[in-house]
Amino acid sequence: MLIRRGGDIPASQITPESVYLNRRAFVAAAGGVALGALLPPRLRALAGPDDLKPTPYETITTYNNYYEFGTSKESPAKLAGRLKTSPWTVEVAGAAKRTGRYSYEDLVRPFTMQVRIYRHRCVEGWSMVVPWMGFSLGDLIRRLEPTSKAKFVQFTTLDDPAQMPGQRSDILPWPYVEGLRLDEAMHPLTILATGLYGKPLPNQNGAPLRLVVPWKYGFKGGKAIVRITFMETQPMTTWNMAVPSEYGFYANVNPEVDHPRWSQARERPVGEFFKRDTLMFNGYADQVASLYTGMNLRTNY
Ligand code: MTE
């Protein structure tokens, strides 16, 4: 018996991978209109500036960073399968009116799932194009009614060494935590993802709920979120705690600011031979640069 979860969509509406991969076919399947034209005008710009040909499903789901399941790229796909993602509860805490514990289904029910094809740039120098499925984090935040004290949002992810073998080592402080300024969290590009390629999110990619902020390095995208906390002060974030000289709070993709140990000017799309230039804010500068007006992006890395 198939139990439909809040974020699932009927099988009849799931776009097969081959259709995503073949832009022509995708256009045909969409009745002769380009993907952008299907989106409401406000979201049309969100498809992104460059040609976003999705990376194959097999690559996106077998080349992962998820230290709770080991430090190699292959281990999350091998070890995360046993993680129990249903039932799942998300706690909303801190400076908001509607704090409390929500089932995953109740949390996502009000939202229509959207496809967002985003370039995903890891701080290590690789990138992929992922056809995420998810909903606007800003829409959720508005429903949770943050108070005037809320200036930041922290995302806490699952802490369960019984299910997450990587947490038996102290390679990172657990649980993995991430954070955004409230205006970054409310930006229409920021989503909570529940799926990719029209299918529920595989465990190794952060099921059942993970953050996606396309103009920031991939490590901002916390997987397996269990708590959302509205805060007055800037929250701690895992990589900043672990190696503060290398990873800051902002983590905006910036080809002009090198990592202390390597250049960030170029990136290798996973599975491809040639590197490509990394774009300012990962190609989303038109939409997000104004969030950082007047800030020094070298010191706020
Ligand atoms: N979330 C958790 N809970 N644990 C992690 O180790 N790794 C981050 C991020 N989210 C990580 C995490 C890093 S470094 C990256 S690059 C992305 O997840 C990778 O996402 P992907 O495996 O879906 O490509």
Side-chain angles (χ1 to χ4, degrees), residues 60 63-68 120-124 126 128 130 132 157-158 164 172 174 176 196 204-206 210 217-224 239:
I60 295 172
Y63 188 92
N64 298 101
N65 274 341
Y66 200 171
Y67 279 22
E68 287 87 334
H120 176 48
R121 168 63 156 86
C122 177
V123 74
E124 295 164 340
W126 50 266
M128 298 184 187
V130 183
W132 298 108
T157 77
L158 186 66
M164 297 178 136
L172 286 177
W174 307 113
Y176 193 98
L196 53 86
Q204 60 269 34
N205 293 90
R210 78 72 77 80
Y217 291 117
F219 68 85
K220 295 301 283 184
K223 299 177 172 183
W239 280 102

Side-chain angles (χ1 to χ4, degrees), residues 67-127:
Y67 279 22
E68 287 87 334
F69 294 101
T71 55
S72 81
K73 296 285 179 278
E74 300 75 34
S75 58
K78 288 182 188 141
L79 299 176
R82 66 180 82 138
L83 176 68
K84 199 165 178 276
T85 61
S86 178
W88 192 268
T89 304
V90 178
E91 184 190 350
V92 174
K97 286 198 189 135
R98 305 196 176 272
T99 54
R101 291 167 66 79
Y102 295 82
S103 70
Y104 169 86
E105 287 77 8
D106 286 347
L107 194 82
V108 308
R109 186 173 293 121
F111 307 107
T112 307
M113 294 300 143
Q114 307 166 0
V115 174
R116 297 284 186 96
I117 304 178
Y118 287 156
R119 186 171 297 281
H120 176 48
R121 168 63 156 86
C122 177
V123 74
E124 295 164 340
W126 50 266
S127 66

